Amino acid sequence: NSGTLEFSIEKASNLSYEIYDLLGKKITHLNSTTLNAGTHIYNLNTEQLDNGTYLIKYQINDQVKAAQFIVSH
């Protein structure tokens, strides 16, 4: 099972992300990786996550964004 995170960047950038449960416990993270300019679709493996709602916080260079997602197996 997986989900996707889709975003576009104008120039080569560093991406990192962290996934939290709704109680604020960090579930997993990705250390920084460099991406080229363009549109990217990042696959998130949700196989190890229990059913429920999670928060993904991702950072592209200095810009931090967050989104909720639901896992249902």
Side-chain angles (χ1 to χ4, degrees):
N1 292 337
S2 66
T4 58
L5 174 64
E6 184 173 350
F7 55 91
S8 295
I9 52 178
E10 295 178 9
K11 60 182 181 178
S13 301
N14 294 318
L15 166 72
S16 61
Y17 73 78
E18 297 172 334
I19 295 177
Y20 296 87
D21 66 16
L22 287 183
L23 298 175
K25 178 183 174 191
K26 187 190 308 186
I27 305 299
T28 189
H29 71 281
L30 171 73
N31 290 328
S32 185
T33 186
T34 302
L35 301 174
N36 293 325
T39 299
H40 297 271
I41 299 174
Y42 208 85
N43 292 315
L44 303 171
N45 183 352
T46 60
E47 190 172 292
Q48 302 298 320
L49 298 176
D50 292 331
N51 290 342
T53 303
Y54 294 85
L55 176 71
I56 182 167
K57 181 177 85 171
Y58 60 102
Q59 183 169 349
I60 301 170
N61 290 338
D62 293 333
Q63 187 175 29
V64 178
K65 296 185 178 186
Q68 282 188 346
F69 66 97
I70 297 171
V71 174
S72 178
H73 300 285

